[in-house]
Amino acid sequence: MDPVALILADSRFPGGGHVHSGGLEEIAARGLVRSERDLPGFLFGRLCTAGFLAAAFAAASAHAAARGVESGHWRRLDQELDARTPSLAQREASRAQGRGTARAGRVAWPSPVLSQLLGETPRPHHPIVSGALVGIGGGSPFDAAMAVAYLAVSGPASAAVRLLGLDPFAVNAVVMRLAGPLREVSDRAAETAGADPVDLPAPASPALDLFAEEHARHHQEEVRLFAS
C-alpha cells in the first residue's frame, strides 16, 4: 500500500478524525451497540454504505490528481458528494475532517494540484482531499479507497473502546475480520475512479443520516465526547 495512504489512515495523522465517531456515539447512547458482539454488524453496514461512498470519491480524486483535470473538476466532484450526503450533520463532519486533512496536507505534500483543489473547494469533503493527497504522492485509486474505507470502520471501532469500555484487543479483532470486505469495497471503488463525477456510485445509508442528525441535536443540548 502507498506510504501516503498509510499515513492518512494512521490515527495519529492530524486531520481531526479522532473527534468523530462515525455515528457510533448516538447508536451506543440508544443501546443499539453494547458489546463486541454488536459491533461487527454495525461496522460492516457502515463499510458497505458510507464507507463505499467515501472510497469511491477518494479513488476518483486520486485518479484526477494523478492525471490533472480541467478547471472546475474539483468543484463538480465536491458537489456530487454533497448531493449523495443528505444529512447536513454528515456533510459538516466530512468538511471539518477535510479541512484538517488539507491543512496537514499542505505542509506535508505541497502541490499545485492541491492548491487548485483548495482554490475551487476551500472546505473540501474529507474523501476528496484524502484521495487527492494519495494521487499527489503517487498512490493508486485503490490505495486511496482503502485508506478512507479503513477509516470508515477504524474510527467507530476506536470510539467504541472509549465510549463503552470495550476490550481493545477484541475490537481490533473485529476490524481485522473485515479485511476481506475492505478489499472488496476498495476494489469496487477503484473500478469507478475514471468515471464522470455524476456517474459515481451513490450508496445510501438513511439510518446513519438520521442518527447523525440526532447526534447533532443532542450535541447542542448536552456535552458529547465526539463531534459526530
Side-chain angles (χ1 to χ4, degrees), residues 63-157:
H63 180 274
R67 285 158 179 76
V69 291
E70 71 281 0
S71 176
H73 181 84
W74 296 113
R75 187 178 300 107
R76 289 184 60 216
L77 200 60
D78 192 80
Q79 289 170 344
E80 290 299 331
L81 184 48
D82 236 27
R84 289 160 173 77
T85 313
S87 163
L88 174 60
Q90 294 268 50
R91 294 196 299 272
E92 287 300 313
S94 176
R95 292 192 183 281
Q97 292 178 75
R99 184 172 63 250
T101 299
R103 288 178 63 189
R106 270 186 144 155
V107 176
W109 303 285
S111 163
V113 174
L114 183 58
S115 296
Q116 180 191 3
L117 188 162
L118 296 176
E120 294 184 19
T121 59
R123 296 182 67 241
H125 279 290
H126 178 254
I128 292 174
V129 69
S130 295
L133 291 173
V134 173
I136 289 166
S140 69
F142 174 84
D143 293 327
M146 180 65 88
V148 299
Y150 172 73
L151 287 171
V153 295
S154 65

Side-chain angles (χ1 to χ4, degrees), residues 163-226:
L163 287 165
L164 299 169
L166 302 186
D167 178 359
F169 293 99
V171 169
N172 276 279
V174 171
V175 175
M176 183 58 214
R177 287 193 288 272
L178 289 172
L182 273 166
R183 179 169 290 277
E184 291 172 10
V185 163
S186 301
D187 278 332
R188 288 168 52 207
E191 289 172 358
T192 68
D196 187 279
V198 75
D199 295 323
L200 288 171
S205 50
L208 287 177
D209 293 334
L210 292 172
F211 286 134
E213 292 301 311
E214 282 299 294
H215 184 281
R217 182 174 66 82
H218 290 147
H219 196 46
Q220 295 174 353
E221 300 170 351
E222 60 187 44
V223 176
R224 286 288 181 97
L225 183 60
F226 293 94

Side-chain angles (χ1 to χ4, degrees), residues 11-94:
S11 61
R12 294 166 295 185
F13 182 77
H18 64 284
V19 302
H20 298 275
S21 75
L24 196 282
E25 185 167 29
E26 183 65 30
I27 286 169
R30 292 167 178 263
L32 299 177
V33 172
R34 299 180 180 181
S35 69
E36 292 90 346
R37 293 189 301 274
D38 304 324
L39 201 54
F42 169 73
L43 293 181
F44 180 76
R46 194 174 197 287
L47 173 63
C48 294
T49 53
F52 177 42
L53 177 64
F57 274 80
S61 189
H63 180 274
R67 285 158 179 76
V69 291
E70 71 281 0
S71 176
H73 181 84
W74 296 113
R75 187 178 300 107
R76 289 184 60 216
L77 200 60
D78 192 80
Q79 289 170 344
E80 290 299 331
L81 184 48
D82 236 27
R84 289 160 173 77
T85 313
S87 163
L88 174 60
Q90 294 268 50
R91 294 196 299 272
E92 287 300 313
S94 176

